[in-house]
Amino acid sequence: MKMCKAAARSLAVAGVFCAAALAVAALALPNLFPFLDSSGFVSTYSSTGSFSENGPFFQSLGTNGRTCSTCHVISNAMGLSAAHAEAVYEATKGRDPLFAAVDGAVCPIAAPGQALNFSLLRHNGLIRIGLTLPSTLQFTITAVHDPYGCALETDPSTGEQTVSVYRRPLPATNLGFLSAVMWDGRETVSPLNSASTFAANLLTDLSHQALDATEDHAQATTPPTTAQLNQIVSFELGLNSAQEIDFQAGLLNAEGANGGAQFLSTVPFYPGINDSLGPPSQFSPNVFTIYSNWMHSGDAYRRSVARGEQIFNTMPLTITNVRGLNDALGQAVINGTCTTCHDTPAVGDHSLAVPLEIGTSRAVNYETDPTIQAAVSQLSMPDLPVFQIVCNAGPDTGEVTYTSDPGKALLTGLCTDVGRGKGLILRGLAARAPYFHNGAAATLDEVVDFYNVRFQMNLTPQQEQDLINFLKTL
Ligand code: HEC
Ligand code: HEC
């Protein structure tokens, strides 16, 4: 019931629910146990029948006291909201293992005479990820804005350069729908690109991920056992999380709707199941149909959610300057929809691994593309380091990009990968603000404002509200 204590600290109501659950079952939460979030209740469905806290996912396997559930919190749809991080900080005066120097602080070593700084974790839910650059790079990288003094560090003995980027914990749930593991795909050690190998490769990837997480986040000096890794992976793979109840729309599976985590657990998936970039016959833009039965509901708010779903599926977007898409297809302008990128049915990540740069890491003060600059201005960008990347090899030679997160390029060293990361799963959103890999959108309103400008949607205020209302119910 550790997470109940954590939830209770921030949310009185969750505390009441947790107390009730304690009376029912001491060691496991019943399936679909509701947790209060910003617009209703979120819940998690486990294929084992209950959410048991007995396994190694909840055990300290390293040296700093952290468990997987330190950052993957059930009341936050197995992610970590900034509000939760701040509540834990307040309740423990920063002594909770979440605030380990290694990646909880903006820099693991404090500036002389200063205390460790946890501002990005407390206010934006961001964890520092230190990535060592490959030895061969097509570009030069320099930090032009370095607010914390460890944006780019060079090892004096090896000359290796390490870049610090700051990313949100991605939810450890709904994992059976992944086509890439981690925002930059670095844990996709076996590709998730075919139906026949999907199940086995996903196990390999998640097991590798759990090993690295134990060594990096939990600072383990001895690796977890194979049995522990297997238990962690089978536990997390059995989970589906989604918004269950919306304060205004009510039960999200009422009146023929298919919201909620239990339905989600029945949704089929294999890589490429709905490929927006493949042959037209293999793609339906109607990625979400869970609220279509609400189109003619007697309830005005439910009709708004259903309209929001339709906007998501069909509203025209003018997609320009997206690295990984416009350049890859050789089309300066792509007339698409939200589902051009979010194409996995009922889930919304990309059903094949297609890392993209939509501009969420661009720095407003350095940006030269007026559309991207106007879009990023809609966001509450945290104070992140800014890197200047000058491409000096290959077809993009001469191109200069300013970004707070070079994304996949940190792994490959290629200019074409600068800023690229995966499209994210869009479930349980209301429980885990802020949004985008770097927490740049404080709210779903900001997400929609960003897209409205970025892809010239010209949404009316009503359409904007419908889309927001829909996203809240996922
Ligand atoms: C200190 C916080 C922290 C801890 C502890 C932690 N994680 Fe994470 N987790 C993250 C962050 C941050 C990311 C995203 C990193 C990125 O995209 O580069 C992540 C990503 C993931 C993902 C990828 C999901 C996806 O959509 O690609 C999985 C799975 C996951 N973690 C499982 C675990 C497991 C299992 C453990 C325990 C062994 C664990 N995590 C411990 C912060 C944490
Ligand atoms: C050109 C591709 C593309 C289009 C079009 C697109 N998205 Fe995204 N979306 C992405 C990518 C890539 C990310 C991850 C970006 C990041 O983390 O910085 C993302 C992230 C998101 C997130 C954040 C999820 C989270 O967990 O933080 C939301 C919400 C979202 N998109 C909604 C939408 C909506 C609504 C539309 C249509 C108005 C849309 N997207 C159109 C590619 C796209």
Side-chain angles (χ1 to χ4, degrees):
M1 284 287 134
K2 215 179 311 151
M3 75 211 136
C4 278
K5 280 184 233 138
R9 275 185 226 119
S10 49
L11 304 166
V13 178
V16 173
F17 275 110
C18 288
L22 266 173
V24 178
L27 296 164
L29 288 174
N31 261 349
L32 303 179
F33 187 79
F35 288 91
L36 183 66
D37 63 25
S38 60
S39 59
F41 291 88
V42 69
S43 68
T44 293
Y45 180 88
S46 164
S47 58
T48 63
S50 65
F51 186 92
S52 165
E53 278 197 62
N54 281 326
F57 193 93
F58 300 90
Q59 290 160 9
S60 165
L61 304 176
T63 58
N64 61 15
R66 281 178 173 166
T67 74
C68 304
S69 72
T70 303
C71 299
H72 299 281
V73 185
I74 187 178
S75 56
N76 297 174
M78 300 308 286
L80 175 78
S81 69
H84 179 86
E86 177 65 359
V88 171
Y89 188 89
E90 290 291 331
T92 65
K93 300 198 167 58
R95 284 193 288 265
D96 188 275
L98 175 60
F99 299 95
V102 60
D103 58 7
V106 293
C107 206
I109 299 165
Q114 284 178 24
L116 285 168
N117 175 350
F118 296 103
S119 60
L120 290 178
L121 178 51
R122 291 176 58 185
H123 304 138
N124 310 95
L126 292 171
I127 299 293
R128 189 184 67 87
I129 316 265
L131 294 169
T132 302
L133 285 166
S135 50
T136 316
L137 295 177
Q138 284 190 334
F139 51 81
T140 54
I141 175 168
T142 39
V144 292
H145 177 62
D146 187 6
Y148 313 113
C150 61
L152 189 59
E153 289 170 303
T154 307
D155 184 319
S157 56
T158 61
E160 278 182 339
Q161 286 188 302
T162 301
V163 171
S164 282
V165 290
Y166 299 86
R167 295 185 187 158
R168 305 269 300 118
L170 294 171
T173 186
N174 302 326
L175 298 174
F177 299 103
L178 292 186
S179 54
V181 184
M182 311 309 257
W183 186 62
D184 52 16
R186 70 186 179 283
E187 294 287 354
T188 323
V189 290
S190 304
L192 304 175
N193 57 4
S194 97
S196 59
T197 57
F198 177 62
N201 287 3
L202 185 59
L203 286 177
T204 306
D205 294 349
L206 292 176
S207 179
H208 196 270
Q209 190 282 331
L211 171 65
D212 283 350
T214 309
E215 291 184 339
D216 297 343
H217 301 306
Q219 295 176 285
T221 44
T222 47
T225 64
T226 306
Q228 285 171 325
L229 291 175
N230 289 343
Q231 284 175 58
I232 288 174
V233 172
S234 74
F235 168 77
E236 59 185 7
L237 257 183
L239 305 178
N240 286 105
S241 306
Q243 192 74 348
E244 207 68 30
I245 298 172
D246 181 279
F247 287 136
Q248 299 188 68
L251 269 175
L252 294 172
N253 58 7
E255 229 189 320
N258 284 318
Q262 186 160 9
F263 175 80
L264 189 53
S265 74
T266 68
V267 171
F269 176 76
Y270 56 85
I273 185 169
N274 187 40
D275 180 11
S276 64
L277 305 176
S281 62
Q282 281 169 33
F283 173 64
S284 162
N286 295 315
V287 166
F288 283 94
T289 52
I290 54 185
Y291 297 114
S292 45
N293 283 336
W294 282 2
M295 214 56 197
H296 303 288
S297 168
D299 180 272
Y301 194 88
R302 287 184 179 172
R303 287 199 303 277
S304 165
V305 169
R307 285 195 305 270
E309 181 177 72
Q310 274 207 334
I311 291 168
F312 186 87
N313 291 336
T314 59
M315 181 88 186
L317 271 62
T318 306
I319 302 174
T320 55
N321 287 325
V322 172
R323 205 177 260 138
L325 198 60
N326 296 90
D327 51 354
L329 300 182
Q331 294 174 27
V333 178
I334 295 168
N335 296 308
T337 59
C338 299
T339 62
T340 303
C341 302
H342 297 280
D343 66 10
T344 300
V347 182
D349 57 333
H350 203 95
S351 67
L352 288 170
V354 182
L356 301 173
E357 191 206 17
I358 58 171
T360 47
S361 309
R362 297 295 183 99
V364 75
N365 296 338
Y366 293 89
E367 187 53 44
T368 51
D369 179 311
T371 308
I372 296 181
Q373 192 193 42
V376 175
S377 304
Q378 309 297 314
L379 300 172
S380 304
M381 191 70 78
D383 189 11
L384 298 173
V386 179
F387 302 96
Q388 181 199 52
I389 298 193
V390 181
C391 179
N392 48 34
D396 299 331
T397 299
E399 202 168 75
V400 181
T401 308
Y402 292 92
T403 178
S404 56
D405 194 330
K408 202 173 170 224
L410 294 176
L411 315 180
T412 62
L414 299 176
C415 298
T416 45
D417 287 336
V418 171
R420 292 174 67 186
K422 70 172 175 174
L424 299 172
I425 285 180
L426 304 181
R427 301 306 302 250
L429 291 167
R432 52 184 180 83
Y435 307 101
F436 296 132
H437 75 283
N438 55 0
T443 59
L444 291 169
D445 300 42
E446 282 188 13
V447 169
V448 171
D449 287 340
F450 168 84
Y451 280 118
N452 192 25
V453 174
R454 179 70 180 86
F455 298 130
Q456 297 162 48
M457 296 177 70
N458 302 315
L459 291 167
T460 65
Q462 182 64 55
Q463 288 172 322
E464 195 158 325
Q465 197 56 55
D466 292 345
L467 184 53
I468 293 164
N469 291 348
F470 163 66
L471 293 172
K472 282 182 185 168
T473 64
L474 292 177

